[in-house]
Amino acid sequence: MHCIAVVDELGSAMTGSAAIDFGTWSFYGDQTLFDLIAATTNALNGALLARRPDHFRNFTFVGIILMAIVGGIAGGVTRDVILGEPPAALMNPAYLTLCVAAGVLGYALAYGKGQLFREGLFQFMTSMSLPWYAIVGAQKSIEAGFPVIGAVAIGVIGATTGRFLIDVISGVPPKQFVRGEWFVVTAIIAAVVWIIGDAAGLPFWAAGLIAFAIAFSFRVAALYLGWEEPLAAEPKGVRMHEDARPLLGRKLAHRSSAELRSLGLAVGDDDAEGRSAGADSR
């Protein structure tokens, strides 16, 4: 009888271990909605960025989708690993599903026409996702008992890791380390404002909306007006190279076609010029 009982227990254990877990779909609860918004917008950004001429490296369709996934979940996964939690993006199928859908959308917005529209969409979506990821990172860190400085740092890591990896994969200097419109500072502002709101006793959603509104407004204003981080002092004898960074608003609207080509926002002219030059040489 004892042997039969052992066999029954072993059979039950094997049956339980063979069960397939498809995960629990969730769109609401705690910070899930904010996190999903950030992941989805970052995924769209990843696909758009991978197709932008300054980043494109003959990526395949699968490569573009993978870039979208990296952009969408890398920050959140890194954040959760630091906090010692199972990554939400790998436990909840909604993350990867929405990231793939955003990647397909980004792929469909092919670069050939409408360069300025796509660049504006990319910068707008970046301004959307940066604050959300920073807010969720700060909230999770405070809940886990991290001090304020640590919570802000994790907020920045969650908000910017995806862009860092895409830039590295594409072989360009990561956005965090080159001159731009206060990319990292936007994430810091969102995290700090949320922490202040939380300390004042505001509900998560109220503090989150306030932090998002302030950080988003700052980022859009910086893009439109061309506010940029100051460059480090230039070492003697070093030549300052051409500044090839896309901008929004007035600083981009009136640029010449040559300037737009240098920014990778006027596709087609170079190919035509190359064919013409080849014909002349023959």
Side-chain angles (χ1 to χ4, degrees), residues 10-60:
L10 180 59
S12 299
M14 292 178 65
T15 302
S17 63
I20 299 176
D21 182 5
F22 290 99
T24 302
W25 289 73
S26 176
F27 296 92
Y28 303 100
D30 297 329
Q31 68 286 336
T32 301
L33 179 60
F34 292 140
D35 212 20
L36 281 171
I37 292 172
T40 306
T41 52
N42 260 359
L44 178 59
N45 289 345
L48 290 173
L49 189 61
R51 301 216 71 188
R52 203 167 72 180
D54 60 339
H55 280 67
F56 186 68
R57 299 294 183 270
N58 296 321
F59 297 126
T60 63

Side-chain angles (χ1 to χ4, degrees), residues 75-90:
V77 169
T78 303
R79 173 200 67 210
D80 292 344
V81 168
I82 293 174
L83 296 175
E85 301 178 358
L90 303 180

Side-chain angles (χ1 to χ4, degrees), residues 10-278:
L10 180 59
S12 299
M14 292 178 65
T15 302
S17 63
I20 299 176
D21 182 5
F22 290 99
T24 302
W25 289 73
S26 176
F27 296 92
Y28 303 100
D30 297 329
Q31 68 286 336
T32 301
L33 179 60
F34 292 140
D35 212 20
L36 281 171
I37 292 172
T40 306
T41 52
N42 260 359
L44 178 59
N45 289 345
L48 290 173
L49 189 61
R51 301 216 71 188
R52 203 167 72 180
D54 60 339
H55 280 67
F56 186 68
R57 299 294 183 270
N58 296 321
F59 297 126
T60 63
F61 172 76
V62 173
I64 300 295
I65 301 303
L66 289 175
M67 291 287 245
I69 293 173
V70 167
I73 70 171
V77 169
T78 303
R79 173 200 67 210
D80 292 344
V81 168
I82 293 174
L83 296 175
E85 301 178 358
L90 303 180
M91 302 297 290
N92 182 355
Y95 284 86
L96 288 174
T97 302
L98 291 175
C99 286
V100 170
V104 172
L105 175 61
Y107 178 85
L109 296 173
Y111 273 87
K113 294 181 179 179
Q115 294 284 83
L116 299 185
F117 166 77
R118 264 181 299 275
E119 186 59 34
L121 175 63
F122 169 76
Q123 297 291 4
F124 179 80
M125 297 305 287
T126 298
S127 302
M128 287 276 293
S129 61
L130 265 175
W132 288 130
Y133 251 138
I135 290 165
V136 173
Q139 187 262 346
K140 284 193 169 187
S141 303
I142 292 297
E143 280 190 351
F146 279 67
V148 170
I149 293 179
V152 172
I154 292 176
V156 172
I157 290 170
T160 63
T161 297
R163 175 61 187 267
F164 175 85
L165 292 176
I166 290 175
D167 286 342
V168 170
I169 293 170
S170 301
V172 302
K175 178 73 172 177
Q176 292 90 326
F177 305 113
V178 296
R179 194 179 189 190
E181 295 79 14
W182 302 96
F183 180 69
V184 172
V185 172
T186 299
I188 293 174
I189 290 172
V192 169
V193 173
W194 184 88
I195 291 171
I196 293 173
D198 181 64
L202 294 177
F204 169 75
W205 63 267
L209 290 176
I210 293 171
F212 170 78
I214 293 174
F216 176 78
S217 299
F218 171 79
R219 172 71 176 171
V220 170
L223 286 165
Y224 184 74
L225 299 174
W227 298 340
E228 300 171 331
E229 302 100 329
L231 286 171
E234 187 178 333
K236 185 176 181 181
V238 174
R239 175 178 171 272
M240 185 65 70
H241 295 281
E242 181 182 13
D243 187 12
R245 292 171 300 102
L247 300 173
L248 277 184
R250 295 179 306 205
K251 294 188 72 176
L252 185 61
H254 303 295
R255 291 202 170 201
S256 66
S257 59
E259 289 175 312
L260 292 177
R261 280 196 301 274
S262 73
L263 295 172
L265 298 179
V267 176
D269 294 342
D270 292 340
D271 294 338
E273 289 174 4
R275 288 194 297 270
S276 175

